[in-house]
Amino acid sequence: MTSAGSKRVIVSESMVENPPQYTEGLDQKIRQAAGFLQYDFEQTLSDLEGLKKYAQELGKSSSDSAENNLDKEDTKSSDTADAENP
């Protein structure tokens, strides 16, 4: 026998210890939110890793491009200087 407010009800002990759940409780909602946040966090880390790799590749390609441009300018300067001083 158990009580609910001023009423008394006869139920089996196992039903009182582990009652069936008819609606979501706060605990399930918190677990669901925590699961979503964990998934979102992992996805954000993955996205940031991809962005980091992209930025490194972009930096490397622009650095290579800048070096090529400097080499071209050095070659032009040498050719111009040679043409002016025969």
Side-chain angles (χ1 to χ4, degrees):
M1 187 178 287
T2 187
S3 63
S6 62
K7 304 291 182 186
R8 303 227 187 278
V9 181
I10 298 174
V11 293
S12 69
E13 190 173 330
S14 65
M15 293 299 285
V16 172
E17 290 175 3
N18 297 316
Q21 188 169 5
Y22 296 106
T23 61
E24 282 189 8
L26 184 59
D27 190 46
Q28 280 77 18
K29 289 182 180 182
I30 289 173
R31 284 188 199 148
Q32 189 177 29
F36 171 77
L37 290 174
Q38 181 66 34
Y39 170 79
D40 188 52
F41 176 72
E42 291 170 1
Q43 189 65 40
T44 301
L45 287 179
S46 175
D47 292 345
L48 287 175
E49 275 300 312
L51 186 60
K52 182 180 172 184
K53 287 180 183 177
Y54 176 73
Q56 287 174 344
E57 291 172 5
L58 186 63
K60 183 179 177 185
S61 69
S62 85
S63 172
D64 291 345
S65 177
E67 287 176 12
N68 288 338
N69 289 338
L70 286 176
D71 290 343
K72 288 178 186 176
E73 289 297 320
D74 287 343
T75 304
K76 270 188 197 177
S77 297
S78 299
D79 291 344
T80 305
D82 290 342
E84 290 176 358
N85 298 322

